[in-house]
Amino acid sequence: MKTTNHHSTPKKMNTRRLSHRWGVDNILGMLSYGVAVVFLGSCSLLPARTVDNQQSDTQAQNTTQPNPVIVPPQIFSSSGDPNFVVKVVQQVGPAVVRIDSSRTITSRVPDEFNDPFFRRFFGEGSPQPRQRVERGSGSGFIINSSGQIVTNAHVVDGADRVTVILKDGRTFDGKVLGEDPVTDVATIKINANNLPTLAVGNSDTLQPGEAVIAIGNPLGLNNTVTSGIISATGRSGSDIGASDKRVDYIQTDAAINPGNSGGPLLNARGQVIAMNTAIIRGAQGLGFAIPINTVQRIAQQLIATGKVDHPYLGVQMVTLTPEIKEKIKNGAGDRLNLTADDGVLLVEIVPRSPASLAGLRVGDVIKTINSQPVTKIEEVQRLVEKSQIGTKLPIEVERNGQIVQVGVQPAPLPVRREG
């Protein structure tokens, strides 16, 4: 039996956008290019303000220049201590765990070797299924003193055995209560009590520039601490090349490496605000974390039912821009009467899906969902995620220059497991 060792890697994202396919007569073949958006930023350096020394004697006598007020950075003023990271780590470190997982992979024997003709030649020496064990490690943190732990779904996906190691060296067998590949959140239970837990912050109020601390087990180096700032909030899955994920990620420049997956991202007060989950291959200072409000919502459902049902319409869509509209008009001609200038264009409808049953069509442009205007696919995804399975969702579309009202009844999202 072959053994393969690896560390559970934060999801490496392909930053190229996937092209969108037209479903009918290949009309949307003209859209098969990467819709990548690159933001080029520049920073102007302004000269420091100086006091004009060529003042008259009268001005010098009558004017007293105040001493400049130095405002400490927010990371210091919020804690009052430049070594706040040390205190946070001492406070929360015991609630961060290492998670080792293993799964057995059996290689399949080609069907040809089961054919009697081949068995005449190979006999009892015909190839047998081979097995290998894949081992990985990641991070997690304790959310309940009775042994409930959260981590990334990809840390424990398909695992035959999960082992949880606490900072004090204690080791426990972990039971996976549930996994949600759509948000990459999983919950684990160990048989222990009176465990340390993390205080929870509010990820809805985060702002770029806030100080953050990451704790985890990158590359097998247990209890590693890195720090940085929040670089951005609200990064959609499609922004970072993970269009199959329904998460608005927090971007951070705190170093995240393989093995950090599932570990906490903390604020300067030691509250967990996100779960580290993704990096972009070959990039530096581009890490992504799942907001803790999302982690909590998903974890509660996994603990209660072992699964999470996400609303599903069954459409493939693209944000309508002047460039895309022009490309469609040039390629489709009179076959598609596209009059809208903005909105979300439906480029494919899954057969027998809720969208198909409700009468949505390729070429429809979504204008509103539940009376809320939408102009980007990310806005559609957020509103659909907030909808209720089995309850009709009112959608307004523009079709051939006419406004059409459609009621779509979302169904549970069919989840295709990774691997």
Side-chain angles (χ1 to χ4, degrees):
M1 182 180 294
K2 183 179 179 182
T3 300
T4 304
N5 292 316
H6 68 279
H7 296 287
S8 183
T9 307
K11 288 291 188 178
K12 295 181 179 179
M13 302 302 182
N14 181 357
T15 55
R16 295 180 59 192
R17 293 281 186 86
L18 298 178
S19 58
H20 295 274
R21 298 180 293 107
W22 281 84
V24 180
D25 298 329
N26 293 323
I27 296 175
L28 290 190
M30 74 285 293
L31 287 182
S32 58
Y33 63 93
V35 188
V37 180
V38 179
F39 295 93
L40 300 179
S42 62
C43 181
S44 300
L45 296 179
L46 301 176
R49 296 183 61 186
T50 58
V51 179
D52 189 352
N53 292 323
Q54 298 179 354
Q55 303 179 45
S56 64
D57 292 340
T58 303
Q59 288 176 316
Q61 292 174 1
N62 297 335
T63 304
T64 302
Q65 292 294 329
N67 293 327
V69 177
I70 300 176
V71 180
Q74 182 64 30
I75 57 175
F76 294 161
S77 61
S78 63
S79 64
D81 183 0
N83 290 322
F84 72 97
V85 174
V86 176
K87 292 185 177 179
V88 168
V89 173
Q90 292 174 344
Q91 172 188 341
V92 307
V96 181
V97 303
R98 171 172 173 158
I99 299 173
D100 291 342
S101 62
S102 63
R103 63 175 177 174
T104 302
I105 307 297
T106 302
S107 60
R108 180 174 167 272
V109 176
D111 293 336
E112 289 80 2
F113 287 101
N114 293 320
D115 189 287
F117 175 79
F118 282 95
R119 297 189 73 85
R120 287 174 53 193
F121 293 93
F122 291 98
E124 296 301 323
S126 59
Q128 298 297 315
R130 282 188 161 186
Q131 290 186 334
R132 73 177 191 277
V133 176
E134 289 186 349
R135 304 185 190 278
S137 65
S139 306
F141 52 94
I142 304 169
I143 59 172
N144 185 288
S145 60
S146 61
Q148 293 172 350
I149 297 168
V150 292
T151 186
N152 281 142
H154 73 263
V155 170
V156 297
D157 183 38
D160 303 318
R161 183 177 182 182
V162 173
T163 303
V164 176
I165 305 170
L166 305 188
K167 186 178 181 180
D168 62 15
R170 286 183 291 167
T171 300
F172 298 88
D173 288 333
K175 176 184 178 182
V176 178
L177 299 179
E179 307 171 41
D180 180 40
V182 176
T183 57
D184 202 8
V185 174
T187 54
I188 300 172
K189 179 70 169 66
I190 61 175
N191 290 323
N193 293 299
N194 301 318
L195 296 175
T197 61
L198 294 183
V200 176
N202 182 6
S203 54
D204 289 342
T205 61
L206 300 176
Q207 298 183 48
E210 290 187 42
V212 290
I213 304 159
I215 304 179
N217 309 290
L219 302 172
L221 300 172
N222 294 347
N223 308 309
T224 294
V225 179
T226 58
S227 66
I229 62 170
I230 294 175
S231 303
T233 60
R235 295 292 194 209
S236 68
S238 55
D239 283 339
I240 66 175
S243 57
D244 61 324
K245 304 300 181 188
R246 294 191 183 182
V247 175
D248 287 333
Y249 294 93
I250 295 168
Q251 181 182 332
T252 178
D253 68 350
I256 297 175
N257 291 286
N260 272 118
S261 290
L265 190 68
L266 306 137
N267 62 21
R269 294 177 295 280
Q271 298 170 325
V272 57
I273 55 170
M275 175 193 292
N276 300 316
T277 189
I279 57 177
I280 292 180
R281 186 188 301 273
Q284 293 184 349
L286 291 177
F288 300 92
I290 306 169
I292 193 60
N293 291 9
T294 299
V295 173
Q296 281 190 303
R297 175 173 58 85
I298 299 300
Q300 288 170 2
Q301 296 180 62
L302 292 174
I303 292 170
T305 66
K307 64 175 184 176
V308 177
D309 286 329
H310 295 273
Y312 161 77
L313 300 186
V315 299
Q316 191 171 4
M317 54 193 174
V318 65
T319 297
L320 186 60
T321 65
E323 294 77 14
I324 288 180
K325 182 177 179 179
E326 183 67 23
K327 197 171 186 69
I328 291 171
K329 291 181 71 173
N330 293 338
D334 297 332
R335 290 175 293 173
L336 184 64
N337 181 21
L338 187 59
T339 57
D341 294 319
D342 57 22
V344 176
L345 176 66
L346 301 184
V347 298
E348 187 170 334
I349 307 295
V350 176
R352 296 178 297 279
S353 67
S356 175
L357 296 175
L360 287 175
R361 304 176 187 174
V362 170
D364 285 350
V365 177
I366 299 178
K367 307 298 290 186
T368 70
I369 294 181
N370 206 17
S371 300
Q372 298 188 46
V374 294
T375 57
K376 300 178 180 179
I377 58 175
E378 292 84 4
E379 295 169 345
V380 173
Q381 290 172 334
R382 292 186 189 111
L383 290 171
V384 171
E385 182 67 13
K386 292 179 180 178
S387 67
Q388 297 295 320
I389 294 173
T391 300
K392 279 197 175 182
L393 183 65
I395 298 178
E396 181 183 276
V397 301
E398 185 171 329
R399 179 185 298 166
N400 296 323
Q402 303 294 319
I403 297 298
V404 179
Q405 305 289 339
V406 180
V408 183
Q409 188 169 300
L413 173 68
V415 177
R416 186 184 307 169
R417 293 181 64 86
E418 298 181 2

